[in-house]
Amino acid sequence: MFKMFLRQKKDLSYKNLDLPSKNVLSGGNRFKENYKNKNYFFSIVTVVLNNINFLEETINSVIKQNIDVEYIIIDGGSNDGTLDIIKKYENYINLWISEKDEGIYDAMNKGIKYCTGKYIGMVNSSDLYSSNALSIIKNYFNHNQNLDFIFGSVKKKKLKYGFKKNKIYWSFDFYPSHSSGFFISNSAQKKLGLYNTDFKLSADHDFFFRLINNKYKGTSTKKDELIGHF
């Protein structure tokens, strides 16, 4: 007898958070008494675990953008000196959290919950933004208020660019890159929900499938508008 097992729909909705609980190792400007939340255009999230050799370069690629950003770092409980790098740049970081998590997508979800900016970007440790990346992306969003997301050109062994949404139905390689190349409006993120951590290695693919299948509006930067390095 053939039995069909139906996958239960997972609730991926969330509520935004301000500060973590007092028992969580954390820091950043958001803890300062005189801190006032700005109307940030971008919230940028970096997730990291034991990456002391490359995290500093990632941080610098964010804070050297010519745009003021809300910067959030989610550390998975590093013990290799990564926290020393984070604390070195604490004045540039709105919020950092260090605690054990359930993997990269769980960490990304955690960061998303603390984002207050109009648009959200991810640049994971070891990945980099090009020098004018956020200016390029901001220009796209400003010139098309209806855009929900953007895939930026990314150098990933070779230059990857363009957005062929029909490709997602048969290929995992339909987008340039996730980390450093992808930006989504906070409102669209909220409607679509978090990354589904049931997919241990492909929650980003599932997220993009939901994004496109639900007909959110997106575009890509041009080939010569390099946004990041993966």
Side-chain angles (χ1 to χ4, degrees):
M1 182 177 176
F2 177 78
K3 292 183 178 180
M4 180 179 290
F5 295 93
L6 296 178
R7 186 186 187 92
Q8 294 296 311
K9 186 176 181 181
K10 187 173 183 179
D11 182 12
L12 299 173
S13 61
Y14 66 95
K15 294 182 179 179
N16 284 110
L17 304 173
D18 181 31
L19 292 172
S21 60
K22 294 181 178 179
N23 63 333
V24 175
L25 183 60
S26 54
N29 290 327
R30 202 175 284 189
F31 284 92
K32 294 180 179 179
E33 289 184 6
N34 61 347
Y35 177 78
K36 292 183 179 179
N37 190 38
K38 302 179 182 179
N39 293 320
Y40 287 102
F41 194 87
F42 288 110
S43 290
I44 305 299
V45 178
T46 293
V47 302
V48 60
L49 175 63
N50 291 330
N51 201 359
I52 187 174
N53 293 326
F54 299 103
L55 176 62
E56 189 165 17
E57 192 174 6
T58 299
I59 291 174
N60 274 308
S61 80
V62 175
I63 65 178
K64 289 183 178 180
Q65 298 290 316
N66 57 357
I67 292 177
D68 193 19
V69 304
E70 177 181 60
Y71 194 23
I72 297 168
I73 296 182
I74 306 297
D75 174 65
S78 295
N79 56 17
D80 69 337
T82 289
L83 276 180
D84 294 330
I85 300 296
I86 294 173
K87 291 176 181 178
K88 177 181 176 180
Y89 292 92
E90 192 164 28
N91 287 336
Y92 298 95
I93 300 169
N94 294 74
L95 178 68
W96 63 266
I97 297 171
S98 181
E99 63 176 349
K100 183 175 175 56
D101 53 50
E102 300 302 319
I104 186 171
Y105 297 115
D106 180 45
M108 287 163 58
N109 285 343
K110 192 183 302 182
I112 288 168
K113 292 176 184 179
Y114 289 97
C115 289
T116 67
K118 190 173 182 180
Y119 298 96
I120 299 171
M122 297 274 176
V123 57
N124 297 332
S125 61
S126 298
D127 300 333
L128 307 170
Y129 283 138
S130 62
S131 60
N132 61 340
L134 298 187
S135 294
I136 294 172
I137 297 299
K138 184 176 182 179
N139 188 55
Y140 271 88
F141 280 125
N142 279 339
H143 280 79
N144 191 338
Q145 300 292 322
N146 294 322
L147 276 180
D148 296 306
F149 64 93
I150 295 175
F151 286 116
S153 298
V154 172
K155 190 69 176 294
K156 185 181 180 182
K157 295 184 180 178
K158 63 179 182 179
L159 183 62
K160 308 193 79 174
Y161 64 96
F163 171 48
K164 299 177 181 178
K165 62 182 180 181
N166 292 331
K167 199 174 178 184
I168 193 173
Y169 294 99
W170 55 272
S171 172
F172 273 78
D173 195 29
F174 83 105
Y175 59 94
S177 175
H178 183 200
S179 179
S180 81
F182 178 68
F183 297 82
I184 184 171
S185 71
N186 204 324
S187 59
Q189 178 80 61
K190 193 81 174 179
K191 292 175 185 175
L192 198 62
L194 299 169
Y195 291 87
N196 189 340
T197 54
D198 288 347
F199 299 102
K200 302 300 182 183
L201 301 176
S202 57
D204 51 348
H205 192 268
D206 168 73
F207 183 85
F208 298 144
F209 179 84
R210 288 188 279 132
L211 189 71
I212 293 166
N213 206 40
N214 284 286
K215 303 188 185 310
Y216 285 87
K217 186 176 181 180
T219 190
S220 63
T221 62
K222 297 175 182 177
K223 181 179 180 180
D224 60 352
E225 294 174 321
L226 183 64
I227 302 304
H229 299 263
F230 181 84

